[in-house]
Amino acid sequence: MVQEALTNAVKHAAARSATIDVTHEADGVRLRMSNLGPVAAYGEGQGIPGMKERARLYGGTVSAEPTSPDGWQVEAWLPYGCEETTLTLAEAHQ
């Protein structure tokens, strides 16, 4: 997910800088990836949907949104000790 977020920052936003924060919480790990650069339109590719799908396979979540005044932030949360689950095609693309 970190690699995908950084790839998106370079590819879609011509990011001037990026930060990655990893926070260990009581029930999981939180990844926060943010960059500064022009805000590209959401939904142009498969990067963010792919990150969401991968997180959901392990019981986690991903959110992605533009930040103000310019930039982008992707946040992922993944629980500890979760086994991989199987999603239907419809669930994976929600």
Side-chain angles (χ1 to χ4, degrees):
M1 286 183 222
V2 171
Q3 179 181 359
E4 183 65 37
L6 290 174
T7 298
N8 287 348
V10 172
K11 184 177 179 183
H12 298 293
R16 298 185 304 266
S17 66
T19 60
I20 308 296
D21 293 313
V22 179
T23 306
H24 298 277
E25 299 177 352
D27 55 351
V29 65
R30 186 168 308 278
L31 306 170
R32 191 170 288 118
M33 290 96 28
S34 48
N35 67 72
L36 294 174
V39 177
Y42 173 75
E44 291 180 5
Q46 295 301 311
I48 294 170
M51 285 188 276
K52 288 181 178 183
E53 182 177 340
R54 287 189 295 277
R56 288 182 60 207
L57 284 172
Y58 295 97
T61 60
V62 170
S63 64
E65 59 191 9
T67 58
S68 188
D70 78 329
W72 196 264
Q73 179 172 291
V74 176
E75 185 171 313
W77 179 82
L78 300 167
Y80 295 131
C82 180
E83 293 186 22
E84 183 177 353
T85 59
T86 303
L87 299 176
T88 66
L89 187 58
E91 291 171 324
H93 293 286
Q94 289 180 353

